[in-house]
Amino acid sequence: MQLNINKTSFEVPYDGAANPSKTEQNRAGLHGKNGINPVVTNKIFTTFSRPRITYGLEVVKLQQKELNALEIYERKLLKQIQGLPDRCANVAVYALLGTTPITVHIERNSLTTFFNIASHPEFIEHEIARRQLAMKDETSNSWFTHIRIILQKYSLPTAFEIMNNPPSKTLWKKQIDSAINNYWEEYWRDEIEQKKSLKYLNLQELATKHPHNIWKTTQNNIRDISKATIKLDF
């Protein structure tokens, strides 16, 4: 599949033909109905493909249409490996696998990059960050303004607070994990309450990290996968 990011086209890693049939998809291991638990397939995707797709994007302020293109591609893939219909609600696509959208992965990497800048005042990037944060408002296209917006989104300390008193690397990682999990769990619960089709979907604890019990208790065989897929009629 081809994506256009910042007017640059690149091929997304894809195992299969340009227009693979369902039989070819199953043979290639891209569909849950071939007997592979979707959690395993998603782990392969997040370990090998997603880092290649998002490489370097943490230091770029992407346009919304570019972020949408990435999410559409990912949702299509996650629906396919779980055997979900195209009309399936987004919250179910992610919550069942215990994962977050690909754009959240980019945001997490951006926050990590900013932390590295903030915690090293001897770097020239640290000086640039202070100047940019002091001079640019929220309408600016500055990457540091983008970081400020992400921090506000997840109710994390402000950029200046982090730069003036940077936490330890371990603590910062825990803060990010907790903030992202809390934000998306609350967002998903609101969606579930608003959509009647999701009334039977119960979020598991730490929904952004652990797969739903439907997939967690499913064995790697065609029969169990097929039975689980029948239950997922959203």
Side-chain angles (χ1 to χ4, degrees), residues 187-203:
Y187 181 83
W188 288 345
R189 292 186 193 283
D190 288 342
E191 272 206 32
I192 290 173
E193 290 180 1
Q194 295 172 13
K195 295 184 178 181
K196 293 182 179 180
S197 61
L198 297 173
K199 62 181 179 180
Y200 296 116
L201 176 61
N202 296 317
L203 291 183

Side-chain angles (χ1 to χ4, degrees), residues 13-221:
Y14 181 77
D15 296 328
N19 296 294
S21 65
K22 286 190 175 181
T23 301
E24 290 171 330
Q25 290 173 359
N26 292 346
R27 190 183 302 120
L30 292 174
H31 206 287
K33 293 181 180 179
N34 67 352
I36 299 178
N37 192 310
V39 175
V40 176
T41 308
N42 182 57
K43 182 65 175 178
I44 295 172
F45 168 70
T46 56
T47 302
F48 297 103
S49 295
R50 190 174 67 182
R52 291 180 61 189
I53 297 171
T54 61
Y55 180 76
L57 297 183
E58 66 271 15
V59 295
V60 179
K61 186 177 183 298
L62 297 176
Q63 297 180 11
Q64 189 59 48
K65 64 179 181 180
E66 295 168 336
L67 295 172
N68 291 342
L70 287 169
E71 286 194 357
I72 289 172
Y73 162 74
E74 183 189 47
R75 281 199 300 270
K76 183 177 181 180
L77 174 64
L78 297 184
K79 288 177 183 178
Q80 179 177 297
I81 66 176
Q82 295 182 88
L84 296 173
D86 291 338
R87 69 180 186 280
C88 182
N90 294 342
V91 57
V93 176
Y94 295 113
L96 289 170
L97 287 172
T99 190
T100 50
I102 191 170
T103 50
V104 178
H105 176 72
I106 297 173
E107 289 176 338
R108 184 192 297 272
N109 288 347
S110 295
L111 291 175
T112 300
T113 300
F114 174 72
F115 171 77
N116 291 334
I117 294 173
S119 57
H120 291 86
E122 70 277 12
F123 289 176
I124 186 64
E125 290 85 356
H126 185 96
E127 182 180 343
I128 294 173
R130 285 190 176 277
R131 184 170 65 249
Q132 289 284 304
L133 290 168
M135 297 178 61
K136 303 294 184 179
D137 59 22
E138 292 190 359
T139 62
S140 170
N141 286 324
S142 169
W143 181 79
F144 293 102
T145 298
H146 176 57
I147 291 297
R148 178 187 288 156
I149 293 172
I150 297 175
L151 291 171
Q152 291 175 350
K153 174 181 177 179
Y154 292 114
S155 301
L156 289 164
T158 66
F160 276 121
E161 288 175 342
I162 296 170
M163 297 188 73
N164 292 333
N165 187 26
S168 66
K169 188 174 183 179
T170 302
L171 179 58
W172 178 241
K173 183 178 180 180
K174 289 181 179 179
Q175 284 182 313
I176 293 177
D177 286 344
S178 177
I180 289 177
N181 183 73
N182 292 340
Y183 175 89
W184 284 100
E185 275 196 4
E186 182 178 351
Y187 181 83
W188 288 345
R189 292 186 193 283
D190 288 342
E191 272 206 32
I192 290 173
E193 290 180 1
Q194 295 172 13
K195 295 184 178 181
K196 293 182 179 180
S197 61
L198 297 173
K199 62 181 179 180
Y200 296 116
L201 176 61
N202 296 317
L203 291 183
Q204 65 278 17
E205 186 177 355
L206 295 176
T208 64
K209 290 179 171 292
H210 303 302
H212 194 276
N213 286 335
I214 288 180
W215 289 132
K216 190 184 297 185
T217 58
T218 300
Q219 300 297 317
N220 285 312
N221 61 70

